Amino acid sequence: MIFRSIITNALLLGLVTGIFLSITQQIGVTPIIFAAESFEQSEAETDTSEADVPTTTVVAEAPAQETVSVEQSAHDHSTHDHASHDHGDSHHDATDQAAVAGPAEVQSTVVQEQVDHHDDHGHSHDADAWAPEDGAERTFYTYVSNVLAAIGFAAVLLALMAQVQLQGLAQVSIGRGLLWGGAGFIALFLVPGIGLPPEIPGIEAAVIGSRQNWWLLAVVSAAAGLGVIAFAPKFYKAGGAVLLALPFLIGAPHPAGPAFIHPDPKVVESLTNLHEQFIIASGISNLLFWLLLGAACAWVLNRWPLTNSESDVVRNG
Amino acid sequence: MSIAQSTSVQTSVSQSSTLLQTMSAMAFGVVVLLAVGFAPMDAAHNAAHDTRHSLAFPCH
């Protein structure tokens, strides 16, 4: 029963590779997410203090991982804003801020109270929605999500490898497994990442739905394109390149304005640096994960899932 | 003749059953991935937030 073998192996491989992915993320990637979030928190802190509302609750939410440089920038930012902003009329204050923020912000800033402003950029869409507490709980849920994602990737990869091997298109050795993993990295990270670079919290981006649609198109067409290049007859291989190029002919959705709209240029510079670090760190983490997953799937595939059915096919054919 | 026929029928049944099974397993993987990466509920988003960012899934 190939289905059961693939699912069982995907669960086991997903657990192992998902934990590996989580460890690489914890070392290099999530600290950058926390640092970017602390800028969001400092922005919220400034907004609420401008509206003359006690800031204690917001301060309490600030992540423990906040670095010295972040605190320094946040302090500069609030000092700067207190010196230059008008504290009197809240409507004028909102309009003033909207002028800095750009058109996308105008509606939400004017309509909402200043106190609610930080919700626009916080990682929660709804302030009342459940979210894991920062620290161990958040790390735990990230590990669980990573393992689930790895199970999904493993199931897809094992299914494709099994089908390719059963049809006699290729024998999937561990070395070839690394190539499969590399292809997974290209299709799931590199190609969609060229159009929509990995995002840190606080970045301005196009509407979520249009980005998700483009991302799905990029992943599916890149995977299909790589499959065609690897396995189709020579005559058709050019079609693979067309598939790889297709999402870029359509074009990834991007907002018109700058990536970061924080009013303090120092913070924008820090966020830009963080974003560059994030692209490299998440790229390394994902590449290592995919190479491990590809090799592990190939190893598992040749150990037991296909032995029964493969011998059936060979005997019957 | 009849043996050859039954063998070829078995082979095609086996192959189509194999394809169905691998495609079902793939569908399982895709559903799990869509749940982790794309589920729109706030609680699901918040739980998987760092995973979505780290895997470069579109987030927010």
Side-chain angles (χ1 to χ4, degrees):
Chain A
M1 184 76 178
I2 295 177
F3 178 77
R4 193 187 300 163
S5 300
I6 292 176
I7 300 298
T8 313
N9 281 297
L11 294 174
L12 293 171
L13 284 179
L15 182 66
V16 174
T17 57
I19 289 173
F20 171 81
L21 173 67
S22 304
I23 293 168
T24 62
Q25 280 179 7
Q26 215 173 356
I27 295 168
V29 182
T30 40
I32 301 173
I33 295 178
F34 295 150
E37 270 178 9
S38 67
F39 282 110
E40 290 187 308
Q41 298 286 357
S42 70
E43 189 183 14
E45 194 180 318
T46 310
D47 289 341
T48 49
S49 60
E50 277 172 13
D52 294 321
V53 169
T55 60
T56 43
T57 53
V58 178
V59 173
E61 284 171 16
Q65 289 82 0
E66 199 166 80
T67 61
V68 174
S69 64
V70 169
E71 280 174 351
Q72 184 62 47
S73 305
H75 180 71
D76 288 344
H77 166 53
S78 56
T79 314
H80 163 80
D81 267 1
H82 277 288
S84 63
H85 277 250
D86 182 359
H87 289 252
D89 178 6
S90 71
H91 179 70
H92 170 76
D93 194 26
T95 316
D96 183 28
Q97 189 164 33
V100 177
E105 285 290 301
V106 171
Q107 199 179 358
S108 63
T109 319
V110 173
V111 172
Q112 290 190 335
E113 291 290 318
Q114 284 285 308
V115 186
D116 292 336
H117 181 72
H118 70 280
D119 289 336
D120 296 347
H121 295 290
H123 76 262
S124 162
H125 297 150
D126 175 0
D128 297 330
W130 173 88
E133 290 288 319
D134 282 344
E137 194 183 22
R138 182 168 174 176
T139 306
F140 170 76
Y141 278 98
T142 302
Y143 269 65
V144 171
S145 321
N146 280 335
V147 165
L148 284 174
I151 288 170
F153 288 137
V156 172
L157 203 56
L158 276 173
L160 291 173
M161 280 179 173
Q163 192 57 40
V164 161
Q165 186 144 316
L166 283 166
Q167 289 199 331
L169 287 170
Q171 189 71 24
V172 185
S173 61
I174 290 183
R176 289 247 172 96
L178 289 172
L179 285 178
W180 279 80
F185 173 75
I186 291 170
L188 269 300
F189 188 88
L190 197 63
V191 169
I194 290 170
L196 294 173
E199 297 158 0
I200 55 173
I203 201 165
E204 290 304 307
V207 182
I208 179 76
S210 60
R211 276 181 295 137
Q212 287 180 333
N213 289 338
W214 188 88
W215 189 93
L216 285 172
L217 171 75
V219 166
V220 171
S221 67
L226 290 172
V228 166
I229 290 170
F231 300 114
K234 260 184 189 167
F235 183 73
Y236 297 103
K237 283 192 194 296
V242 173
L243 280 170
L244 278 168
L246 178 68
F248 300 100
L249 298 176
I250 292 168
H254 284 290
F260 299 102
I261 55 163
H262 203 284
D264 186 345
K266 271 186 196 166
V267 174
V268 171
E269 194 187 332
S270 304
L271 282 169
T272 308
N273 288 337
L274 279 176
H275 189 213
E276 285 167 6
Q277 290 170 30
F278 186 75
I279 291 171
I280 294 167
S282 59
I284 292 171
S285 162
N286 278 272
L287 178 62
L288 291 175
F289 163 74
W290 274 108
L291 292 177
L292 176 69
L293 185 68
C297 283
W299 178 72
V300 152
L301 191 76
N302 288 310
R303 269 182 74 84
W304 53 272
L306 293 185
T307 45
N308 292 332
S309 357
E310 196 177 29
S311 60
D312 284 348
V313 170
V314 168
R315 203 183 309 132
N316 292 333
Chain B
M1 180 68 180
S2 68
I3 293 172
Q5 255 178 353
S6 86
T7 309
S8 79
V9 168
Q10 269 179 12
T11 306
S12 69
V13 167
S14 162
Q15 277 177 351
S16 66
S17 150
T18 300
L19 184 65
L20 186 67
Q21 290 186 51
T22 53
M23 289 305 108
S24 306
M26 193 166 119
F28 162 81
V30 170
V31 168
V32 172
L33 283 170
L34 288 178
V36 174
F38 285 77
M41 295 87 75
D42 283 333
H45 167 271
N46 292 341
H49 174 264
D50 295 350
T51 295
R52 291 183 183 190
H53 275 283
S54 303
L55 294 178
F57 283 49
C59 200
H60 293 292

